[in-house]
Amino acid sequence: MSTALAASTGLDFSLTQKLFVIVLCALTAFVSHMALAVFNDGVRPFMLDFIQGRSQRSATTAVSFGLSAGFIFGLGAPMALSSGVLNPWLLFLPTDILGILAPRKWLAPLLGGAWGALVVFGLSGANDVAHDLPVDFLTAMQQMSTPILFLFTLFPVLAITRQFGRLRGGLAAVLELALVIMTMKLWPTVFAGSLAMAAGVLLLIGFAVRKDLVQRKADQAAALAAANQAARVHTAGDQKAREQASGTGQPPGNEAAADPMASLFSSSALRLRRHLPLFMALGAGVCVLAQMHIFGGGEATSFLIAKGQYSEAAQVDFYRVFGFVPLIATTALASGAYGIAGFTLVYPIGYLLPNPLLAAVIGAVVFALEVLTLSSIGRVLGKLPSVRDSSEYLRAAITETLGLAILFGSLLAANVMGGGLAILIVGGLYLLNEAMGRPVVRMAAAPAAVLAGGVLLNLLHWMNLFTPLKG
């Protein structure tokens, strides 16, 4: 499979696309300022204290910056420069910070729009300058695409193994490998991991649903047996008292009213529904951005979009949804703040739509349905504990596979940049980051090391201490 990217020297967007990114960044900063949505899943749980006035704006901004800075500069910027495609870490994490930071409503969209302008105008210039350097580290970073695309295929296998054991994990691995080989042989123009990931995710969901159904039947049988036993040893009067105590004679809803978490979830869902038109505008904007094919929702997706493989990109981001719906739904219901991209369904939908107008309409409808059904989704997830657990295993597996892929791809990029010396610099910076307690988050450390290593190699070249490799 070729690693040549359609946008290898990209980030050259049309004026319409640039203006749209600026407007969308302004909107996402405003939504963040209103504490209605943030992109960073780690920040969302802190939003409840901010919404209820127990945390100051400055403190919440510090939390958002601390949890996001590494991803912005260590992952978002390098991925955009190497693929030529924008990503949510570069666009939406900064607008989280700027929106929360802004003390006035009118200032938030101005700051967000300014960041969008810096991205669409500044990155293009930086991209051109970097490609003209003696050591072209941006072209070298395209080496990351193959490890990311192929190792990412294995995330369902890791999730199945961790949740359901070695036997089922091994079977999933064999199935995925067979499907990858078959796809490469029969459909060489299709991303080889497409069918494999589909099969893996379906297996994981099937195993989880089956476990929940079996457990529910067992619980019902145990409850029935307990009820029959109780009926044989107690009098009819005792049975009536027990029924009254269990709440059968009470009006429905008392149990939920007595549950403080149920009350909190209800108030959070109601708060989000009150701002439904704003969420619909947000959904329309994100979906149109995806439809323009200048944006990828994930690491693997960015390179697929750059290659022009939009259906494969939609498939990859669709599978990611299963790993993040429970997390986004529960944190949104608990905090009262939703996700900037919602459940991220608007990503794959946008990739596949033929024009921006249709993307705007469908994106708005999808976000409206997500917000309106948020409480129902929370209740359903509460009844499917294994499915809910599967999402956690999926997220962990995605992080693990991408972490290895990005590290391996970064070392490949280093080898292209400057052979053993570049590997020493990039690998050394990564290991130093680990030894220092990871001031840069692990997933972003390797790409950041490639950028730093590329700058250092160019400095060494100008000092006549390093000769760039031929080719």
Side-chain angles (χ1 to χ4, degrees):
M1 182 177 183
S2 173
T3 59
L5 303 181
S8 61
T9 58
L11 294 170
D12 294 326
F13 308 130
S14 68
L15 180 61
T16 301
Q17 292 170 337
K18 291 177 179 178
L19 292 176
F20 187 83
V21 170
I22 293 171
V23 171
L24 182 59
C25 286
L27 176 61
T28 55
F30 179 74
V31 171
S32 173
H33 173 85
M34 298 288 289
L36 290 172
V38 290
F39 181 77
N40 193 321
D41 295 321
V43 173
R44 199 172 301 115
F46 293 92
M47 297 303 290
L48 180 62
D49 286 341
F50 177 63
I51 291 168
Q52 297 182 349
R54 295 193 298 269
S55 176
Q56 298 298 318
R57 187 173 292 276
S58 58
T60 310
T61 301
V63 169
S64 181
F65 181 83
L67 293 175
S68 303
F71 286 101
I72 296 169
F73 301 107
L75 186 62
M79 288 295 297
L81 288 169
S82 60
S83 68
V85 174
L86 300 175
N87 58 70
W89 306 285
L90 184 62
L91 294 183
F92 303 147
L93 289 181
T95 57
D96 280 0
I97 300 168
L98 295 171
I100 299 172
L101 173 67
R104 297 288 184 270
K105 286 184 180 180
W106 60 267
L107 183 58
L110 288 181
L111 292 176
W115 174 258
L118 178 64
V119 168
V120 294
F121 290 104
L123 276 185
S124 178
N127 184 65
D128 294 338
V129 170
H131 282 300
D132 291 334
L133 292 173
V135 180
D136 185 356
F137 52 87
L138 294 186
T139 298
M141 288 184 71
Q142 294 173 14
Q143 296 293 320
M144 292 194 299
S145 64
T146 300
I148 287 175
L149 290 173
F150 280 87
L151 287 176
F152 184 73
T153 303
L154 292 174
F155 79 88
V157 174
L158 269 64
I160 291 172
T161 304
R162 295 237 167 84
Q163 187 174 8
F164 297 106
R166 298 176 183 176
L167 177 60
R168 292 180 179 179
L171 292 174
V174 171
L175 176 61
E176 284 208 6
L177 178 60
L179 289 173
V180 167
I181 295 172
M182 182 182 74
T183 304
M184 294 177 72
K185 184 68 175 178
L186 299 179
W187 306 288
T189 59
V190 175
F191 170 46
S194 298
L195 288 178
M197 278 189 287
V201 171
L202 288 174
L203 277 176
L204 178 65
I205 295 173
F207 290 149
V209 170
R210 182 180 182 279
K211 182 177 179 180
D212 283 335
L213 293 177
V214 170
Q215 185 62 47
R216 181 178 299 179
K217 289 181 179 179
D219 292 342
Q220 291 174 347
L224 181 60
N228 291 336
Q229 180 67 19
R232 288 195 294 269
V233 299
H234 291 84
T235 63
D238 291 336
Q239 178 67 17
K240 182 178 180 180
R242 188 164 56 256
E243 290 174 356
Q244 291 176 345
S246 65
T248 55
Q250 299 175 0
N254 285 358
E255 182 180 353
D259 183 357
M261 289 305 294
S263 176
L264 174 63
F265 280 16
S266 177
S267 63
S268 295
L270 182 61
R271 177 178 186 267
L272 297 176
R273 289 173 188 169
R274 285 200 298 265
H275 296 88
L276 189 62
L278 192 57
F279 281 112
M280 293 177 70
L282 184 61
V286 176
C287 196
V288 170
L289 182 67
Q291 191 280 330
M292 289 178 172
H293 300 149
I294 62 172
F295 172 89
E299 299 88 347
T301 315
S302 294
F303 288 110
L304 288 170
I305 292 292
K307 293 171 183 288
Q309 296 178 316
Y310 306 132
S311 60
E312 288 87 347
Q315 187 178 358
V316 169
D317 271 355
F318 179 72
Y319 300 146
R320 290 173 67 104
V321 170
F322 294 103
F324 289 90
V325 165
L327 173 67
I328 294 170
T330 53
T331 54
L333 289 170
S335 67
Y338 198 43
I340 287 293
F343 292 147
T344 69
L345 276 171
V346 287
Y347 292 166
I349 291 172
Y351 302 149
L352 299 176
L353 292 177
N355 61 72
L357 180 60
L358 185 60
V361 173
I362 293 181
V365 171
V366 168
F367 251 56
L369 292 175
E370 288 181 9
V371 172
L372 292 173
T373 60
L374 198 56
S375 295
S376 300
I377 292 172
R379 286 194 295 269
V380 170
L381 290 173
K383 297 177 181 178
L384 297 171
S386 295
V387 174
R388 191 172 63 248
D389 291 345
S390 293
S391 72
E392 297 179 7
Y393 285 107
L394 275 176
R395 289 197 308 275
I398 288 172
T399 300
E400 189 171 352
T401 53
L402 286 175
L404 175 61
I406 290 173
L407 174 59
F408 186 65
S410 297
L411 292 175
L412 287 178
N415 186 58
V416 171
M417 284 195 308
L421 177 60
I423 291 175
L424 172 65
I425 294 172
V426 172
L429 289 174
Y430 179 86
L431 293 174
L432 183 61
N433 183 70
E434 290 286 309
M436 294 173 62
R438 296 181 199 142
V440 179
V441 291
R442 176 178 283 173
M443 188 175 291
V450 174
L451 290 183
V455 172
L456 180 57
L457 288 175
N458 279 290
L459 291 175
L460 292 174
H461 170 69
W462 288 326
M463 296 168 64
N464 292 320
L465 295 176
F466 171 73
T467 302
L469 299 179
K470 298 295 183 181

